[in-house]
């Protein structure tokens, strides 16, 4: 599925897809500076992990460009973006629409990815956030090296219509 948004001086698209080879999905964010000035942008990706039967006990750790979460029974999940600053929080009511409905924390940890970039006039950039699972943490670096949002990979991907994705850009939101 693809979602588009335009603001004065900035256009953006969000493409949601499932990888054809690995148990993960991508969120490709494409940005273009349509204005006359350089735009400095900071994006924020968030994933709430609730692994295992109950979701409680999920523990997320921030690494270099990746947040790794472990749950009951050795379940491993990841949220990744090359070059992004990473952090975690236990507060599942961090900043999104469903958070405003209830102040009761839900199970799991929240992983945060925060890339920053500058776009000169007419310049474009694409960033791909990955969320998925991996059976063995030792294999995760190799898996992340294989995950690239190339045209070939997108052509083989299953595009998803996802009901709870939100991307906020300069006060406007992509929302399905």
């Amino acid at each position: 599925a693809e979602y588009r948004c335009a603001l004065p001086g900035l256009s953006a698209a969000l493409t949601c897809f499932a990888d054809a080879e690995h148990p993960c999905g991508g969120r490709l964010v494409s940005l273009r500076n349509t204005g006359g000035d350089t735009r400095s942008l900071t994006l924020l990706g968030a994933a709430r992990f609730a692994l295992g039967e109950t979701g409680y006990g999920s523990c997320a750790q921030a690494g270099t460009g990746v947040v790794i979460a472990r749950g009951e029974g050795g379940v491993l999940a990841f949220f990744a973006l090359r070059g992004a600053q990473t952090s975690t929080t236990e507060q599942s009511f961090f900043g999104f629409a469903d958070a405003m409905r209830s102040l009761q924390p839900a199970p799991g940890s929240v992983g945060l990815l925060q890339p920053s970039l500058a776009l000169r006039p007419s310049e474009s950039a694409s960033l791909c956030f990955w969320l998925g699972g991996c059976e063995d943490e030792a294999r995760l670096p190799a898996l992340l090296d294989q995950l690239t949002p190339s045209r070939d990979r997108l052509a083989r991907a299953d595009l998803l219509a996802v009901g709870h994705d939100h991307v906020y850009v300069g006060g406007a939101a992509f929302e399905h």
Side-chain angles (χ1 to χ4, degrees), residues 76-90:
L76 179 88
F78 65 88
F79 186 42
L81 174 67
R82 282 194 200 288
Q85 293 180 13
T86 62
S87 59
T88 62
T89 180
E90 293 298 318

Side-chain angles (χ1 to χ4, degrees), residues 67-145:
V67 175
I68 298 172
R70 291 172 187 80
E72 301 165 354
V75 175
L76 179 88
F78 65 88
F79 186 42
L81 174 67
R82 282 194 200 288
Q85 293 180 13
T86 62
S87 59
T88 62
T89 180
E90 293 298 318
Q91 300 300 321
S92 61
F93 48 82
F94 175 79
F96 291 99
D98 64 316
M100 303 319 238
R101 294 186 195 116
S102 169
L103 293 179
Q104 296 299 316
S109 295
V110 176
L112 305 172
L113 300 173
Q114 186 174 343
S116 296
L117 64 143
L119 293 175
R120 294 185 298 265
S122 301
E123 189 175 23
S124 298
S126 293
L127 305 165
C128 193
F129 294 84
W130 291 98
L131 180 63
C134 186
E135 292 179 12
D136 180 3
E137 187 173 348
R139 293 183 184 171
L140 185 57
L143 173 60
L144 293 175
D145 284 342

